[in-house]
Amino acid sequence: MKIFTASFRYFLLIASSFVLFFPIVYAFLVSFMTGPEVLSRSLIPSQLFIENYERVFRTVPLLQYITNSFVVSTAVMIGQLIVCSMAAFVFAFIPFKGRNVIFILFVSTLMIPWEAAMIPNFLTVQSFGWLNSYLSLTVPFFALAFGTFLLRQHFKTIPHELYEAAQVEGLNRFQFFYKVVIPYSKTSLVTLGIYGFLTTWNMYLWPLLVTTNDSKRTVQIGLKQLQTVEVATEWGVVMAGVVIVIIPTLLLLFIGQKQLQKGLTEGAIK
């Protein structure tokens, strides 16, 4: 009976993984097909048509878009780690009047859709003269309520006696922050870093709104341009662009999968 249950469980896992990964696998196969093969709904290419990948770089400046996405995603990731960790430290260790009320108000901003704040944010960056620059693509995302909540929950697990002992030893608050709290919270920091990088990499609407030319536009806009430029029979070229774009995110997700899962679980139960 146990063997039957285990076999059925593995069968469900294999079937679920096949359903989940089929779109990615099929996009990879389509990227090596010619136009007629795609229209004939073939599942496997008759030969490896590598010209699709060459046409991607000839059609749009994809390398420039990928570079921009790396710069923006890395800057947002570092900014979120700095801002959120310092905000979480304040909410976890520094007592002040109304701290809990302010934290609840801060976290309640999670219920406000990003689209509702898009126009005010656009007018703000426009008044600063930040349009079509990396500043408009990065600075509005440094303060993240989810990241502050995640790190604050982890910081609360650090014994307060350790904080008091550090004060007795002569460490000030900032020294305790980077010598004790940061090394202790590597898992949550890695989780937040991966989350911030992936969400920024996949962002489309905001970069489209605040950029006006290819020098600062990100890779998701490049994919949309590629789809617009290519005619409907050349889905192989479009899928080649999709494969190139998702490779960095898949590598990051596979490398940090355990840390991401562990960090999100800790943030949920503590």
Side-chain angles (χ1 to χ4, degrees):
M1 187 63 183
K2 290 183 178 179
I3 296 177
F4 175 77
T5 303
S7 302
F8 183 69
R9 187 179 300 165
Y10 280 111
F11 172 77
L12 287 180
L13 290 174
I14 293 172
S16 301
S17 62
F18 178 78
V19 172
L20 289 174
F21 280 99
F22 178 76
I24 298 176
V25 174
Y26 187 63
F28 181 74
L29 294 175
V30 170
S31 68
F32 291 105
M33 294 183 186
T34 60
E37 280 184 314
V38 176
L39 294 180
S40 64
R41 300 180 181 179
S42 301
L43 286 178
I44 300 176
S46 59
Q47 59 178 351
L48 296 181
F49 192 64
I50 304 178
E51 189 179 342
N52 287 335
Y53 287 88
E54 298 174 356
R55 287 185 57 184
V56 169
F57 292 98
R58 291 202 304 263
T59 306
V60 295
L62 192 62
L63 196 59
Q64 177 67 41
Y65 292 149
I66 292 176
T67 303
N68 292 338
S69 286
F70 263 115
V71 173
V72 173
S73 300
T74 304
V76 171
M77 179 183 67
I78 296 173
Q80 286 182 352
L81 288 176
I82 295 174
V83 174
C84 293
S85 61
M86 296 182 75
F89 179 79
V90 171
F91 284 123
F93 287 100
I94 300 179
F96 58 90
K97 190 175 182 180
R99 182 179 66 173
N100 293 332
V101 175
I102 295 176
F103 179 70
I104 292 173
L105 290 175
F106 187 73
V107 173
S108 64
T109 58
L110 285 170
M111 295 185 289
I112 301 175
W114 162 249
E115 289 77 9
M118 185 171 292
I119 299 303
N121 283 330
F122 174 78
L123 295 176
T124 301
V125 298
Q126 186 184 40
S127 64
F128 290 162
W130 287 359
L131 292 182
N132 202 42
S133 70
Y134 288 134
L135 291 174
S136 62
L137 292 168
T138 56
V139 174
F141 302 98
F142 283 175
L144 182 67
F146 167 74
T148 304
F149 173 76
L150 178 71
L151 296 180
R152 186 252 192 188
Q153 295 304 100
H154 191 80
F155 291 173
K156 294 282 284 185
T157 64
I158 300 175
H160 201 72
E161 290 76 11
L162 188 62
Y163 178 50
E164 294 174 348
Q167 289 180 314
V168 172
E169 289 294 327
L171 295 180
N172 58 37
R173 286 171 175 169
F174 187 72
Q175 288 174 328
F176 177 73
F177 171 69
Y178 76 84
K179 286 186 176 180
V180 179
V181 176
I182 294 300
Y184 179 78
S185 309
K186 285 182 180 176
T187 301
S188 296
L189 292 171
V190 171
T191 301
L192 179 60
I194 295 173
Y195 175 83
F197 188 93
L198 292 179
T199 53
T200 307
W201 183 277
N202 293 324
M203 199 178 297
Y204 172 73
L205 188 56
W206 179 255
L208 180 65
L209 193 64
V210 300
T211 57
T212 56
N213 57 52
D214 295 336
S215 64
K216 296 296 185 295
R217 282 185 165 168
T218 55
V219 76
Q220 302 301 331
I221 301 176
L223 285 182
K224 184 60 180 176
Q225 287 183 349
L226 187 64
Q227 184 182 357
T228 305
V229 171
E230 293 297 328
V231 294
T233 56
E234 296 297 342
W235 282 105
V237 180
V238 178
M239 289 303 156
V242 171
V243 170
I244 294 172
V245 169
I246 66 174
I247 284 177
T249 57
L250 287 179
L251 289 176
L252 183 63
L253 190 60
F254 287 142
I255 293 173
Q257 184 181 9
K258 288 185 178 179
Q259 295 291 335
L260 183 64
Q261 184 180 5
K262 185 178 178 182
L264 290 176
T265 304
E266 287 180 351
I269 63 176
K270 287 179 179 177

